[in-house]
Amino acid sequence: MKARNQRVREYMAGQGIDAALFTSVHNVNYFADYVYTSFGRNYGLVVTGKRHVTISANVDFGQPYRQSFSDNIAYTDWHKDNFFEAVKTLLPDTRRLGIEFDHVTIQNRKKLEDALPAVELVDIGDATMRMRMIKSAEEQDIVRNGAAVSDIGGAAAREAIAEGVPEYEVALASTQAMVREIAKRYPHTELMDTWSWVQTGINTDGAHNPVTTRQIRKGDILSLNCFSMISGYYQALERTLFLDSATDRQLELWEINLEVHLKGCELIRPGARCKDIANQLNEIYAEHDLLKYRTFGYGHSFGTLCHYYGREAGLELREDVDTVLEPGMVVSMEPMVTIPEDQDGAGGYREHDILIVNETGAENVTKFPLGPAYNIVRG
C-alpha cells in the first residue's frame, strides 16, 4: 500500500496534479484496501501529497475507517450531496484535481464543478489503470493463493455433480468450499463476494449466465466457474465438463478449444503483444471453421476487480489492444466458442487458467485438470 500510494503521488507531482479523487470500487480498493458497497450512495478516496482519506456514508459507521489504509471521513444523509461537501473540505487549496473520467457520471461531474468552481478536472483513470496492470510480489502471492482456492472450489463442484442435482446446489458446494479455504488462509480478511456459477445444457452458451434450478442430466455439457475473492482480488477457474458421456462432435469441439487454450498459454510471455496473441489463436479457430462462433476475447488482466466493478481495459487479449506483456502482469487464457442450439454439439466450450508473466515466460497458477480424461464425470 505504501509503494502504490508513493507511485501515484509521484505521478501526480509529475503532472502538476494537486490531489486525486478516486470514486471507483477498484481504485478505492487498490489505494486504500477498502471495498465499498454503495447502495446508491457516493464513496471516494482523496489522495494529496500529505493526506489519504476515504469518504464513506455514515450508514457504514466505523467499518470504512477500520478497513482503510489511512484516514476516513463519514458524511450523513441529513443534507443533499453531503459527499461533495466532504470532498470540498478535504481540498481547500486544490487547483488541479485528478478524477476517473471513465467512472464519474455526467451528473457527478457537474456537482464536482459546482462544489469546486476554481478547480481544473483532469483524468487520472487511465494512468492508474496502467499502474494496476503490474502486480507486486505481494499481489502475486494473493493471486497464487486465490487460484489454489478456486481449484478447491472446482474439486468440490465436480464432486457434487450428479444426475438430478440442480445447478445451484453444485454452485453452493463450490462456494462454501472456497469461503472456508479463504478463511483458513487469511483468518483476518473480510469474507465477501466469493461465488460460483455452474451452467448446464444450453445455459452454457454465455460466459456470465446465472445459476438456475435446472437439474443436471446425463449427457449434459457443463460450464464450471469458480471465483474466489480475497480483499477485493478476483481469481477464477473455468472448465468444460460433461456428465457421463459426450458425443463425437462434442468431443471434437472440446478438443479444438483445448488446442486453442494450450497454444494461448504458450504464447503468454514478456514481449508478446495482446493483439498478436489474439490473431494467432484466431487462425486455429479459422482452420476448423469455428472463428464465427468465438464468443469474446481470449483473456483479461487480474487484480482488484469483480463481476460488478473494475477492468483493466489496456490488458485484454483482443485484436484491438496493442499492449506488450511485461513481467508482473497477470492475465487469463480463456478461449470460448458457442455452438447454436440447433446444431450438433450445441453449447459453450470454455477453459480458463491464470498466468503470471515473469522474466522468461509465464507461470500458470491454475492446477485443476482439463479435458475429457478428467472432466467427463461418471454419474
Side-chain angles (χ1 to χ4, degrees), residues 104-117:
V104 175
T105 64
I106 294 173
Q107 181 184 63
N108 281 351
R109 178 161 182 162
K110 178 66 166 58
K111 290 180 178 181
L112 272 176
E113 290 170 343
D114 290 345
L116 305 167

Side-chain angles (χ1 to χ4, degrees), residues 59-73:
V59 66
D60 294 322
F61 214 74
Q63 165 67 0
Y65 172 74
R66 292 192 297 272
Q67 189 65 30
S68 294
F69 174 61
S70 185
D71 205 355
N72 168 263
I73 184 170

Side-chain angles (χ1 to χ4, degrees), residues 97-274:
L97 176 66
I99 64 171
E100 299 169 77
F101 280 14
D102 61 347
H103 185 264
V104 175
T105 64
I106 294 173
Q107 181 184 63
N108 281 351
R109 178 161 182 162
K110 178 66 166 58
K111 290 180 178 181
L112 272 176
E113 290 170 343
D114 290 345
L116 305 167
V119 174
E120 177 189 2
L121 302 179
V122 297
D123 183 37
I124 201 169
D126 186 72
T128 52
M129 174 193 71
R130 298 190 182 281
M131 294 177 196
R132 299 196 313 272
M133 281 163 49
I134 304 294
K135 304 299 186 290
S136 67
E138 295 89 345
E139 289 176 284
Q140 291 178 36
D141 273 346
I142 288 178
V143 171
R144 289 186 186 93
N145 276 299
V149 169
S150 297
D151 288 344
I152 288 169
R158 188 184 182 282
E159 184 68 23
I161 292 170
E163 186 176 18
V165 176
E167 292 177 358
Y168 72 86
E169 287 291 350
V170 180
L172 284 172
S174 171
T175 301
Q176 289 174 351
M178 288 192 289
V179 170
R180 288 168 178 148
E181 185 63 23
I182 292 170
K184 185 188 303 181
R185 292 175 184 240
Y186 294 92
H188 303 295
T189 192
E190 296 176 325
L191 296 170
M192 58 187 297
D193 296 329
T194 293
W195 84 105
S196 300
W197 285 323
V198 178
Q199 302 138 346
T200 64
I202 199 57
N203 197 31
T204 63
D205 64 353
H208 303 143
N209 294 356
V211 168
T212 74
T213 59
R214 182 184 184 275
Q215 294 183 359
I216 304 171
R217 307 166 188 167
K218 286 189 176 181
D220 270 350
I221 184 173
L222 298 93
S223 284
L224 173 62
N225 309 261
C226 304
F227 308 114
S228 69
M229 293 289 291
I230 303 170
S231 295
Y233 276 77
Y234 163 89
Q235 291 76 216
L237 164 72
E238 298 169 16
R239 287 289 184 264
T240 299
L241 305 96
F242 283 83
L243 177 59
D244 196 60
S245 62
T247 67
D248 289 344
R249 178 56 174 164
Q250 288 171 331
L251 289 171
E252 179 186 16
L253 292 164
W254 195 3
E255 293 288 0
I256 292 168
N257 205 55
L258 288 167
E259 178 186 353
V260 174
H261 176 78
L262 294 172
K263 181 62 176 179
C265 291
E266 291 178 10
L267 293 174
I268 294 174
R269 60 184 185 275
R273 282 195 309 176
C274 292

Side-chain angles (χ1 to χ4, degrees), residues 15-131:
Q15 297 295 314
I17 297 173
D18 303 309
L21 170 63
F22 298 110
T23 51
S24 67
V25 176
H26 42 278
N27 266 337
V28 172
N29 185 49
Y30 186 76
F31 291 107
D33 197 29
Y34 170 49
V35 179
Y36 69 75
T37 303
S38 66
F39 267 93
R41 298 174 173 90
N42 291 303
Y43 286 71
L45 165 67
V46 167
V47 178
T48 69
K50 295 182 178 179
R51 298 199 71 183
H52 184 285
V53 186
T54 51
I55 306 171
S56 61
N58 199 45
V59 66
D60 294 322
F61 214 74
Q63 165 67 0
Y65 172 74
R66 292 192 297 272
Q67 189 65 30
S68 294
F69 174 61
S70 185
D71 205 355
N72 168 263
I73 184 170
Y75 68 90
T76 73
D77 294 336
W78 299 348
H79 295 283
K80 188 176 179 63
D81 292 332
N82 268 354
F83 172 81
F84 298 96
E85 290 297 321
V87 170
K88 187 175 178 179
T89 65
L90 291 170
L91 302 172
D93 301 315
T94 300
R95 292 293 174 263
R96 278 170 56 87
L97 176 66
I99 64 171
E100 299 169 77
F101 280 14
D102 61 347
H103 185 264
V104 175
T105 64
I106 294 173
Q107 181 184 63
N108 281 351
R109 178 161 182 162
K110 178 66 166 58
K111 290 180 178 181
L112 272 176
E113 290 170 343
D114 290 345
L116 305 167
V119 174
E120 177 189 2
L121 302 179
V122 297
D123 183 37
I124 201 169
D126 186 72
T128 52
M129 174 193 71
R130 298 190 182 281
M131 294 177 196

Side-chain angles (χ1 to χ4, degrees), residues 223-365:
S223 284
L224 173 62
N225 309 261
C226 304
F227 308 114
S228 69
M229 293 289 291
I230 303 170
S231 295
Y233 276 77
Y234 163 89
Q235 291 76 216
L237 164 72
E238 298 169 16
R239 287 289 184 264
T240 299
L241 305 96
F242 283 83
L243 177 59
D244 196 60
S245 62
T247 67
D248 289 344
R249 178 56 174 164
Q250 288 171 331
L251 289 171
E252 179 186 16
L253 292 164
W254 195 3
E255 293 288 0
I256 292 168
N257 205 55
L258 288 167
E259 178 186 353
V260 174
H261 176 78
L262 294 172
K263 181 62 176 179
C265 291
E266 291 178 10
L267 293 174
I268 294 174
R269 60 184 185 275
R273 282 195 309 176
C274 292
K275 66 189 301 181
D276 294 338
I277 293 173
N279 286 323
Q280 288 187 63
L281 297 181
N282 281 346
E283 293 176 6
I284 301 175
Y285 279 141
E287 289 171 7
H288 298 281
D289 195 29
L290 290 177
L291 186 56
K292 58 191 173 185
Y293 298 128
R294 199 192 91 188
T295 311
F296 51 82
Y298 289 102
H300 58 81
S301 66
F302 276 81
T304 176
L305 61 115
C306 188
H307 57 310
Y308 57 86
Y309 67 82
R311 196 72 168 185
E312 293 164 15
L315 194 48
E316 303 261 352
L317 300 181
R318 296 190 330 218
E319 297 86 343
D320 58 351
V321 177
D322 292 319
T323 301
V324 176
L325 298 184
E326 302 176 35
M329 290 180 172
V330 181
V331 295
S332 63
M333 174 48 57
E334 50 175 319
M336 180 176 180
V337 288
T338 295
I339 308 303
E341 189 173 8
D342 61 349
Q343 296 189 25
D344 188 13
Y349 299 76
R350 181 169 79 259
E351 313 294 337
H352 180 296
D353 289 359
I354 302 173
L355 296 99
I356 301 175
V357 181
N358 54 36
E359 298 294 337
T360 59
E363 172 192 358
N364 190 331
V365 297

